[in-house]
Amino acid sequence: MAESPVVPRCQGVTVLGATGSIGTSTLDVIGRHPARYRVHALTAHRSRESLLTLCRRHRPAVAVLEREADAGWLRECLAEEGVATEVRSGAEALVEAAEAAEADVVMSAIVGAAGLLPTLAAVRAGKRVLLANKEALVMSGALFMEAVARHGATLLPIDSEHNAIYQCLPVEHRGGLARHGVTQLLLTASGGPFRGWSADALVGVTPSQACAHPNWSMGQKISVDSATLMNKGLELIEACWLFDASPDQVQVVVHPQSVIHSMAAYNDGSVIAQLGNPDMRTPIAYGLAWPERIDAGVQSLDLFAVARLDFEPPDEVAFPCLRLAREAMAAGGTAPAVLNAANEVAVAAFLAGRLSFTGIAELVARVRDAQPVHPATELEAVLAADAQARHAAERHLASL
Ligand code: NAD
Ligand code: MG
């Protein structure tokens, strides 16, 4: 007689940043598997209408917004409709949603440094942490990875490139790449909307041009990062921490079709790649179900429609952010946190029309040059470096 399949226990999921691009893709995958996943908590910054819609559909036990006024509005709306969600506000509520006993899995999909404390809380509570919020790891790499090991958290990368590399490495890959015969990680990059443009042509580009990514639909901040190649720089740092790699073991390969999501090269000449349509539900489903596989709602790749795959080296003259990130990783300590903070301020200023596109890299370099590098073994040092770099960036902006 055939054995009946083992039905996994229904897992509680907290989605930090539920109203964003990654958050809604996560809820799309979860909604396809109601017997496997139930939503414990959904959090958002200020988008209360979007959170209301998600609460109606997913009936979380807890919902969190930044401001109490927004939380009060959501509480009233849900009470009128008879939805029994507890609505909370503030940073402490965010951390509690991440470490709650009812959450087995935490999707970290807040954008930027705001995601650091709740993501670390999930790690310290030993959760399965699905990491989309790369900025958290870039800021605090050493202490983040140390906390993962100490608290027995299961860290699964959601960034498509790192998820691809994870799939291309042996299941047990701790202790350095060389031990497993891996010689290089090949981090693919689409090149963004301005691939092939000269530095001069980039001066006048607008936020709407920068946010029009050729292959992926994403939040505004990561779209601008993709256009400057800072996203690839942050991902290079992310790869070093996740896979215990040195910056020179990570090669960035521009691949405009975004079909190969990244690769691992081995000492026997093998290069293993992960391919798929550019849809974040694939890495999200992988992270949710690992080591199993579940339906993500993503069409299988049609290689005849893709027809060809192109590769080229990145242009670090027109796109200096990639070099700035590599240098920050080499400098170590708080340097990546400074890079990240300066970039967040610069991107916000660009989106607000206060800074040119090429001004983003200039501002990051100026802040970097003015900030001392400290050891980053304590969270306080990371948060202080982040705050000081933001102040310095705002001062430079004001002087422009
Ligand atoms: P997004 O802007 O679409 O969504 C961000 C989410 O975070 C929203 O729910 C928003 O309400 C919440 N948020 C924003 N600021 C906050 C704050 N200060 N406090 C609390 N919550 C806050 O962003 P996204 O594109 O979904 O990206 C989220 C993260 O995932 C980023 O770190 C990004 O780099 C990473 N990522 C995204 C993609 C993608 O395809 N979108 C791919 C790889 C990695
Ligand atoms: Mg990515």
Side-chain angles (χ1 to χ4, degrees):
M1 202 172 74
E3 277 184 48
S4 55
V6 180
V7 180
R9 184 176 65 86
C10 187
Q11 304 228 298
V13 186
T14 282
V15 184
L16 303 170
T19 54
S21 164
I22 293 289
T24 47
S25 291
T26 304
L27 290 168
D28 179 278
V29 177
I30 286 175
R32 291 166 192 274
H33 303 279
R36 254 188 113 114
Y37 306 105
R38 85 193 130 68
V39 177
H40 168 63
L42 297 178
T43 85
H45 189 215
R46 296 185 178 175
S47 39
R48 60 189 199 180
E49 281 89 4
S50 306
L51 194 57
L52 171 62
T53 307
L54 294 178
C55 287
R56 283 184 184 130
R57 166 129 187 263
H58 296 280
R59 309 271 161 157
V62 177
V64 182
L65 283 157
E66 188 199 32
R67 299 186 293 201
E68 182 49 33
D70 292 326
W73 176 87
L74 181 62
R75 210 172 280 133
E76 268 180 35
C77 296
L78 291 172
E80 268 174 33
E81 297 179 24
V83 178
T85 295
E86 182 193 349
V87 185
R88 307 193 54 203
S89 63
E92 189 55 34
L94 213 52
V95 164
E96 283 171 20
E99 62 192 11
E102 297 88 339
D104 304 287
V105 181
V106 175
M107 165 54 84
S108 163
I110 290 174
V111 59
L116 176 61
L117 295 182
T119 306
L120 265 183
V123 167
R124 288 172 175 161
K127 306 294 185 193
R128 169 179 291 224
V129 178
L130 311 188
L131 184 72
N133 177 212
K134 66 193 87 184
E135 295 93 342
L137 184 59
V138 166
M139 292 172 73
S140 68
L143 66 95
F144 190 106
M145 295 309 289
E146 198 259 331
V148 169
R150 175 149 24 128
H151 298 280
T154 304
L155 182 63
L156 289 155
I158 298 304
D159 215 345
S160 58
E161 295 78 3
H162 306 74
N163 188 273
I165 291 169
Y166 195 91
Q167 296 194 44
C168 297
L169 291 179
V171 174
E172 178 50 69
H173 57 252
R174 277 177 292 192
L177 295 172
R179 259 182 71 177
H180 306 284
V182 179
T183 51
Q184 211 159 34
L185 303 178
L186 305 173
L187 194 66
T188 54
S190 69
F194 309 128
R195 183 176 60 86
W197 290 38
S198 69
D200 289 344
L202 289 171
V203 174
V205 307
T206 64
S208 65
Q209 283 176 299
C211 289
H213 196 278
N215 306 329
W216 297 94
S217 143
M218 310 181 285
Q220 279 196 318
K221 193 261 177 182
I222 184 176
S223 296
V224 176
D225 285 348
S226 299
T228 60
L229 291 201
M230 181 59 93
N231 183 50
K232 214 45 60 179
L234 298 176
E235 290 185 356
L236 185 143
I237 297 173
E238 186 185 11
C240 290
W241 288 117
L242 284 172
F243 306 118
D244 204 0
S246 61
D248 58 358
Q249 285 178 305
V250 185
Q251 187 182 334
V252 175
V253 179
V254 175
H255 162 49
Q257 290 90 358
S258 296
V259 162
I260 295 182
H261 297 309
S262 279
M263 301 168 257
Y266 285 80
N267 54 9
D268 61 1
S270 299
V271 175
I272 302 187
Q274 187 260 354
L275 287 74
N277 285 315
D279 187 322
M280 289 306 294
R281 291 176 300 174
T282 297
I284 290 167
Y286 182 88
L288 280 168
W290 178 90
E292 294 174 45
R293 299 266 181 175
I294 55 170
D295 172 33
V298 180
Q299 291 277 310
S300 188
L301 190 63
D302 179 349
L303 281 174
F304 297 117
V306 173
R308 56 181 279 184
L309 302 173
D310 295 308
F311 306 98
E312 59 192 61
D315 176 355
E316 294 194 18
V317 176
F319 301 95
C321 286
L322 185 53
R323 177 178 49 78
L324 290 172
R326 196 181 294 108
E327 288 170 359
M329 186 64 197
T334 52
V338 168
L339 172 97
N340 178 68
N343 181 58
E344 285 192 28
V345 174
V347 170
F350 168 67
L351 287 170
R354 294 170 62 207
L355 185 67
S356 70
F357 182 78
T358 46
I360 296 174
E362 285 163 21
L363 186 67
V364 172
R366 276 183 177 217
V367 172
R368 187 268 313 261
D369 292 345
Q371 296 296 307
V373 177
H374 297 294
T377 42
E378 302 294 333
L379 185 58
E380 291 68 27
V382 171
L383 297 177
D386 173 84
Q388 283 157 14
R390 280 170 203 273
H391 274 120
E394 291 292 356
R395 274 200 311 275
H396 283 304
L397 268 176
S399 71
L400 288 178

